[in-house]
């Protein structure tokens, strides 16, 4: 399960309190919940450091979302304990038709792996994109190729039916 906090939620004590409540109510293992942080949603570096350290102590994986679209993605990778780099769908969209974008995506996947991060590609719409991402070693893939966004009850029903999303 992944969660994108709103900018106003990324405050010391606030985000961790919300997630602790959710984990207590659901019984979800913190390692099964990912917090997707876009660098523009992080406040100043001192506050960001406190918030991200709170999440890391709880054992919640941190994903850097929409990597490459913000002004400061590289410094965040250096200073904070992210475990996943999530490639923005704008890079993925044209990779099957433009070799330059395919090279960028392949490079980002290699970059993530070199840093010891897993890599997720978002907005995958078709088999051609899926095959290219698999060939480049992308760890996780999400998008309409598998399913549109679903409300929790519908997703639960599909999973209980044993539906495969490959």
């Amino acid at each position: 399960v992944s969660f994108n906090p709103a900018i106003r939620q990324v405050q010391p004590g606030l985000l961790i309190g919300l997630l602790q409540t959710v984990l207590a109510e659901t019984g979800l293992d913190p390692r099964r919940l990912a917090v997707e942080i876009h660098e523009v949603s992080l406040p100043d570096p001192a506050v960001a450091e406190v918030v991200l350290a709170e999440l890391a102590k709880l054992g919640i994986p941190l994903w850097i979302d929409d990597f490459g679209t913000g002004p400061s993605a590289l410094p965040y990778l250096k200073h904070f304990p992210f475990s996943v780099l999530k490639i923005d769908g704008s890079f993925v969209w044209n990779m099957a038709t433009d070799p330059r974008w395919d090279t960028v995506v392949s490079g980002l996947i290699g970059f993530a792996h070199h840093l010891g991060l897993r890599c997720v590609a978002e907005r995958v719409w078709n088999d051609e994109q899926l095959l290219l991402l698999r060939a480049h070693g992308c760890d996780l893939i999400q998008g309409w190729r598998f399913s549109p966004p679903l409300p929790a009850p519908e997703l639960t029903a599909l999973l209980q039916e044993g539906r495969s999303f490959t």
Side-chain angles (χ1 to χ4, degrees):
V1 176
S2 65
F3 167 72
N4 290 86
I7 292 172
R8 69 182 188 288
Q9 294 173 315
V10 183
Q11 299 298 322
L14 180 63
L15 183 58
I16 195 72
L18 169 69
L19 294 174
Q20 285 173 322
T21 300
V22 168
L23 292 170
E25 288 177 1
T26 63
L28 182 66
D29 180 339
R31 296 170 298 186
R32 306 287 294 168
L33 174 66
V35 175
E36 298 185 23
I37 303 282
H38 190 285
E39 66 264 39
V40 298
S41 68
L42 290 172
D44 69 74
V47 172
E49 188 168 354
V50 171
V51 171
L52 296 176
E54 288 175 341
L55 295 172
K57 284 181 189 173
L58 196 58
I60 296 173
L62 302 175
W63 295 15
I64 188 159
D65 193 16
D66 297 332
F67 183 79
T69 62
S72 57
L74 290 175
Y76 282 110
L77 285 176
K78 178 181 176 189
H79 294 292
F80 300 116
F82 289 102
S83 58
V84 172
L85 182 147
K86 191 170 180 185
I87 299 173
D88 185 70
S90 63
F91 297 130
V92 173
W93 184 251
N94 291 315
M95 68 181 290
T97 57
D98 185 336
R100 294 172 298 175
W101 282 110
D102 184 53
T103 300
V104 168
V105 171
S106 175
L108 287 173
I109 293 167
F111 174 73
H113 291 162
H114 185 71
L115 293 174
L117 305 174
R118 294 176 68 206
C119 191
V120 177
E122 63 182 11
R123 286 194 241 158
V124 177
W125 283 69
N126 58 52
D127 288 341
E128 195 170 9
Q129 293 165 331
L130 175 64
L131 292 172
L132 286 168
L133 289 162
R134 284 183 175 163
H136 295 319
C138 192
D139 301 295
L140 298 168
I141 300 167
Q142 62 181 196
W144 282 68
R145 160 58 179 78
F146 305 103
S147 172
L150 298 172
E154 289 181 38
L155 178 60
T156 301
L158 288 175
L159 294 172
Q160 287 173 339
E161 293 170 5
R163 177 171 170 195
S164 172
F165 289 94
T166 58

